[in-house]
Amino acid sequence: EIVMTQSPATLSVSPGERATLSCRASQSVISNFAWYQQKPGQAPRLLIFGASTRATGIPARFSGSGSGTEFTLTISSLQSEDFAVYYCQQYFHWPSTFGPGTKVDIK
Amino acid sequence: EVHLVESGGGLFQPGGSLRLSCAASEFTFSSYWMHWVRQAPGKGLVWVSHINSDGSSTSYADSVKGRFTISRDNAKNTLYLQMNSLRVEDTAVYYCARTGGGDGPLDYWGQGTLVTVSS
């Protein structure tokens, strides 16, 4: 099973600032990789798939990069609605596995 | 818009059984693989099971293999998860979600249903 690790565990950011979240896979997942956003009491929402493709309706301030084992989610200018937990997922090797999450909170 | 609605959660005793349902609408249910993903209180996401579009192929996480059974009724646009031999560690919110293909991103999720296993 591929282990996904995320850093940092918590990221404190001021509104309008840039946020950079990282995820690492224990072995290559090529670009079979996604990012999800989850707000309290809500289901996860797909943000990015294929490592860098935004899902339908996702604002352009969200961007994904990376391949192989190292991936990054960048939120260019944080809005109030972006404070949430972000999970990464690999779907190259079955079973699909998720990272432990990065909580983005208000500084 | 794609709509997935889970039901069947509640409080159950260890060793007990239950069946979760996920009603799908506003998309061609029979064309999509479906998944169950769970989230223990305050914890992260864990994939549980998937089923292919016609129900002929299923897969399970080791933690639930032999105890849980995923199934679907494409005529009723409904996904199921039969959960037997419940354990305290099965306590979680259970989400259904879809992928366009087997090994793909989970592009739509239901709102989840809470299963609590406790004596």
Side-chain angles (χ1 to χ4, degrees):
Chain A
E1 178 173 307
I2 292 184
V3 176
M4 307 298 287
T5 55
Q6 292 186 241
S7 60
T10 303
L11 184 62
S12 297
V13 185
S14 299
E17 289 188 340
R18 181 187 194 92
T20 302
L21 289 67
S22 297
C23 182
R24 175 177 291 179
S26 60
Q27 58 186 283
S28 177
V29 299
I30 51 174
S31 294
N32 288 26
F33 181 91
W35 289 99
Y36 299 85
Q37 176 194 68
Q38 187 179 34
K39 298 178 182 179
Q42 295 185 19
R45 177 175 71 147
L46 177 66
L47 296 177
I48 301 286
F49 65 93
S52 60
T53 302
R54 279 189 302 276
T56 303
I58 302 303
R61 64 180 181 273
F62 291 92
S63 63
S65 63
S67 66
T69 62
E70 302 281 344
F71 300 88
T72 300
L73 174 69
T74 302
I75 311 171
S76 60
S77 176
L78 269 156
Q79 306 298 302
S80 57
E81 61 267 29
D82 301 335
F83 292 97
V85 178
Y86 292 83
Y87 293 96
C88 61
Q89 179 211 18
Q90 67 80 21
Y91 49 89
F92 182 63
H93 294 278
W94 213 256
S96 171
T97 47
F98 295 88
T102 290
K103 182 179 181 181
V104 178
D105 65 15
I106 300 175
K107 188 174 182 180
Chain B
E1 183 175 332
V2 171
H3 209 206
L4 296 168
V5 179
E6 301 92 339
S7 60
L11 176 62
F12 302 89
Q13 291 199 333
S17 298
L18 73 142
R19 187 177 78 162
L20 301 181
S21 299
C22 171
S25 59
E26 305 303 324
F27 69 100
T28 305
F29 180 69
S30 59
S31 296
Y32 289 82
W33 289 46
M34 296 298 296
H35 302 249
W36 289 100
V37 176
R38 70 184 181 184
Q39 186 171 36
K43 302 297 185 182
L45 302 167
V46 177
W47 173 81
V48 172
S49 180
H50 77 230
I51 187 167
N52 70 346
S53 56
D54 67 6
S56 62
S57 176
T58 60
S59 185
Y60 300 91
D62 286 345
S63 59
V64 307
K65 199 173 296 182
R67 300 188 299 122
F68 291 8
T69 302
I70 191 172
S71 62
R72 66 191 297 161
D73 185 335
N74 285 346
K76 295 183 177 179
N77 291 340
T78 303
L79 173 72
Y80 302 101
L81 185 68
Q82 177 68 39
M83 303 169 62
N84 298 332
S85 302
L86 289 168
R87 302 170 180 170
V88 171
E89 55 265 33
D90 294 324
T91 295
V93 174
Y94 285 75
Y95 296 101
C96 65
R98 75 169 202 183
T99 55
D103 295 342
L106 299 160
D107 62 354
Y108 285 95
W109 300 58
Q111 86 290 347
T113 187
L114 175 62
V115 173
T116 302
V117 183
S118 174
S119 55

